[in-house]
Amino acid sequence: MENSNDKGQFQRKMQTRHVVMLSLGGVIGTGLFLSSGYTIQQAGPLGTILSYLIGALVVYLVMLCLGELSVHMPETGAFHSYAAKYIGPATGYTVAWLYWLTWTVALGSEFTAAGLLMQRWFPSVNVWIWSALFAVMIFLFNAFTVKLFAESEFWFSLVKVMTIVIFIILGGAAMFGIIPMANAEPAPFFSNITASGWFPYGATAILMTMLAVNFAFSGTELIGIAAGETENPEKTIPKAIHTTLWRLIIFFIGTIVILSALLPMSDASVLESPFVAVMERIGVPYAADIMNFVILTAILSAANSGLYASSRMLWSLADKKTISPWFARLTKRGVPFNALVLSMAGGALALLSSIIAPGTVYITLVSISGLAVVVVWMSISVSQYMFRRQYLREGHDVKDLVYRTPLYPFVPIVSFVLCLASCIGIAFDPTQRIALYCGIPFIILCYIVYYWTDRTKKKRGLTS
């Protein structure tokens, strides 16, 4: 168990239900509630279902790799530590900054979106007032104890999960005519799914949406970050990985099937949430208000997870002495308060850049953060591959590992190749190509900064 050289230490307070909901909370967000209609319109219903299944497979393979690492070495800010140890310290440093940037940029956009959603009910109150109130609330949830954070995240996520379950049950009943549609429409069964042909835009459309799907699944890796603050990680982490995956498949695939069956493909890409359109067709009263509340909860849940993840990454960098040890200080209740404050400040700067320079600074930040998740997943696959090789070279027996990645080396290699394929795919999509133009220079910059600061330290004789 890692400890800071200061007065506090991390507390193992998270239970399986907290870790599962933390992971689901990071994944089930506006991507599912708002963007799913756009994905259906781009690839067609069957194409979308297929790309979500491939995305779920990629996530599962990466999580199997992460499981072995985080059970054997349950650390806070985990995968940065694994990359530093098994790939190289400069790679670990780069992975940590990429991941930190991903979540701080997300914080900025989430607080803005939450403020905009409140306009539906309070049109006369300024958006920034709501954004500031939500920012303070999320900061307080994270600042006191990890138990308060975990508990708040559990209830935020539960609202989303219950909404999706009810949506799938009601939608399925309407689809087969068990409950009547509004306006006396006949039950559609599967007619809308195949109305435009099996794959109306061909196989390339599936590859393009797969990139967006990978980003939609980002957040599952939070299980690894929470490993150092989890009760009995050797039992909790594997259980959380397996339950998270099958829930994701049911929620995402189930939702896409219902949306595709109840909405004609031409209607799927309208600006309003496809969930609202479907609920109105079923005849659910106050559908728009209900979904507004659920999407607000989804956004606050993602912000809650994001602040947690980014603060732990900064703590981990400081713990490895690659940035100021000031960020490694923990409160008596085991919260990295200084890292929390800087992460919140990063979110506030991202928020400002989205207002002041949306076409330059902000689009660059969003592009880097989009690519960053896939790069982080690649680092997890490589770290597990290198760890197992070293473990065996040192004369250990694989049977001694409490949790083993199955089918080694097949799983880490395939997960790496699939992630790499989605990065290469970005180059062929003009709307997403900016992620490579901004992301690759940022990665190079991180390596340069690491080697420069490392050399400076060595010159001063400060290396530990």
Side-chain angles (χ1 to χ4, degrees), residues 30-109:
T30 49
L32 182 62
F33 288 119
L34 297 175
S35 314
S36 44
Y38 173 78
T39 314
I40 292 168
Q41 211 256 339
Q42 289 295 299
L46 285 169
T48 303
I49 291 166
L50 196 61
S51 57
Y52 271 100
L53 280 171
I54 296 166
L57 172 70
V58 174
V59 169
Y60 188 49
L61 296 177
V62 172
M63 291 305 104
L64 289 174
C65 294
L66 183 59
E68 179 171 301
L69 293 164
S70 53
V71 170
H72 187 69
M73 298 164 284
E75 286 190 46
T76 295
F79 35 80
H80 147 246
S81 307
Y82 308 145
K85 195 169 180 179
Y86 297 107
I87 306 173
T91 304
Y93 178 83
T94 304
V95 162
W97 280 117
L98 279 168
Y99 202 68
W100 182 81
L101 186 75
T102 297
W103 283 112
T104 45
V105 170
L107 279 177
S109 55

Side-chain angles (χ1 to χ4, degrees), residues 39 84 112 119 408 433 446 453:
T39 314
T112 312
Q119 292 268 285
Y408 177 87
R433 216 172 280 154
C446 286
T453 50

Side-chain angles (χ1 to χ4, degrees), residues 150-170:
E151 210 56 50
S152 62
E153 187 51 40
F154 176 80
W155 292 106
F156 273 146
S157 293
L158 196 63
V159 171
K160 297 188 284 194
V161 170
M162 292 306 294
T163 304
I164 290 171
V165 169
I166 293 165
F167 176 80
I168 291 171
I169 293 167
L170 282 178

Side-chain angles (χ1 to χ4, degrees), residues 88 328 349:
L349 287 173

Side-chain angles (χ1 to χ4, degrees), residues 355-375:
I355 299 161
I356 297 162
T360 49
V361 179
Y362 187 66
I363 193 88
T364 305
L365 291 174
V366 170
S367 302
I368 295 169
S369 69
L371 182 69
V373 174
V374 183
V375 173

Side-chain angles (χ1 to χ4, degrees), residues 242-297:
H242 290 300
T243 49
T244 301
L245 184 89
W246 67 258
R247 285 177 200 194
L248 282 181
I249 290 176
I250 291 169
F251 295 158
F252 277 84
I253 304 300
T255 300
I256 297 297
V257 169
I258 299 296
L259 288 175
S260 306
L262 295 177
L263 279 182
M265 197 173 127
S266 54
D267 295 359
S269 69
V270 287
L271 285 175
E272 90 175 310
S273 166
F275 279 74
V276 175
V278 165
M279 285 163 84
E280 282 175 346
R281 275 190 186 197
I282 298 170
V284 177
Y286 305 109
D289 285 311
I290 292 167
M291 281 318 297
N292 204 55
F293 172 73
V294 171
I295 294 163
L296 179 65
T297 312

